[in-house]
Amino acid sequence: MKNENIEISKLTKVYRAGKDTTKAVDTLSFSIKKGEIFGLVGPNGAGKTTTIKLIVGLLKPDHGTIRIFGKNNKDIETKKSIGYLPENTVYLNYLNGKEFLEYMGRLYKIEINNLRGKIHETAGLVGIMDYINKKINTYSRGMVQRLFLAQALIGDPEFLILDEPTTGLDPLGIIEFRKILQKKKGSLIRR
């Protein structure tokens, strides 16, 4: 069994708008080993978010392969082992934090008997336990970011993919965020 969690080979993605084309990702290849923290760094428009969306299966590559744990990234069982924090978070205004995490936990098929404990554990870990019963639309940007980190962690993923994970966090929040990731360990890809 290989030690790589993720293997990208000659990944290419071209956006088309009428006659115009933009090559967002051009024959990108890399691998990430178990336990490794990997960062995609580059200027705006370099293709970092596109690469992440290709890995998690939100976009389809024009060329190349993506393998996670030795399987195609479209494999449903493989997707269950990934936690994803998107760059732009979207939530339903009428939910509170607990309801949102419960919804996400049910998507991961966490048994209802275990879900309440998992919500408390995860909300406590990211520092939003005091706000868990408040409507999400009353959260600050940093608190929303913490909530979405909780949703990325609730399914106990083997692999975390984080896109702009510290957006909206103050300097102390960024330090706390890094400590949370150190606690969780495992393989991370972040930008």
Side-chain angles (χ1 to χ4, degrees):
M1 182 175 172
K2 288 190 175 182
N3 204 20
E4 280 83 12
N5 281 353
I6 187 165
E7 295 176 81
I8 304 293
S9 179
K10 299 180 183 177
L11 192 62
T12 301
K13 177 64 182 174
V14 178
Y15 290 111
R16 293 171 179 78
K19 293 181 181 181
D20 295 331
T21 61
T22 302
K23 194 175 276 190
V25 179
D26 188 8
T27 60
L28 179 65
S29 296
F30 64 87
S31 65
I32 303 170
K33 295 183 177 171
K34 186 173 180 114
E36 185 175 19
I37 296 175
F38 184 88
L40 292 174
V41 180
N44 291 341
K48 301 178 298 291
T49 295
T50 297
T51 300
I52 288 170
K53 288 180 177 180
L54 289 164
I55 292 168
V56 299
L58 295 174
L59 293 174
K60 183 179 176 187
D62 292 300
H63 301 287
T65 59
I66 303 166
R67 303 202 51 84
I68 300 173
F69 308 121
K71 297 180 181 177
N72 186 298
N73 72 318
K74 293 182 173 106
D75 179 75
I76 297 298
E77 288 303 312
T78 299
K79 286 186 180 209
K80 288 180 184 178
S81 62
I82 297 172
Y84 173 51
L85 172 62
E87 175 183 24
N88 296 311
T89 54
V90 179
Y91 54 87
L92 301 171
N93 285 330
Y94 56 86
L95 295 178
N96 65 37
K98 181 180 176 184
E99 292 165 336
F100 175 72
L101 291 176
E102 185 174 287
Y103 174 74
M104 297 308 295
R106 296 191 79 165
L107 287 177
Y108 276 105
K109 299 189 179 189
I110 298 171
E111 290 183 29
I112 198 73
N113 296 340
N114 299 329
L115 186 54
R116 284 197 179 101
K118 192 69 183 158
I119 288 169
H120 284 268
E121 173 190 331
T122 308
L125 176 69
V126 301
I128 60 167
M129 197 59 214
D130 291 343
Y131 306 94
I132 198 72
N133 291 312
K134 294 185 179 184
K135 298 282 185 204
I136 301 169
N137 64 359
T138 67
Y139 285 21
S140 68
R141 177 67 180 120
M143 288 180 55
V144 169
Q145 199 69 354
R146 289 170 183 260
L147 177 67
F148 273 81
L149 176 59
Q151 71 79 31
L153 295 171
I154 200 159
D156 288 325
E158 294 179 56
F159 190 69
L160 278 176
I161 298 178
L162 311 173
D163 193 356
E164 299 283 356
T166 57
T167 299
L169 296 177
D170 59 31
L172 182 58
I174 292 170
I175 292 167
E176 290 173 2
F177 190 94
R178 288 180 180 156
K179 287 179 182 177
I180 292 165
L181 296 181
Q182 292 288 334
K183 281 183 190 176
K184 292 309 280 184
K185 295 186 182 176
S187 295
L188 307 173
I189 179 170
R190 67 179 185 137
R191 150 187 132 140

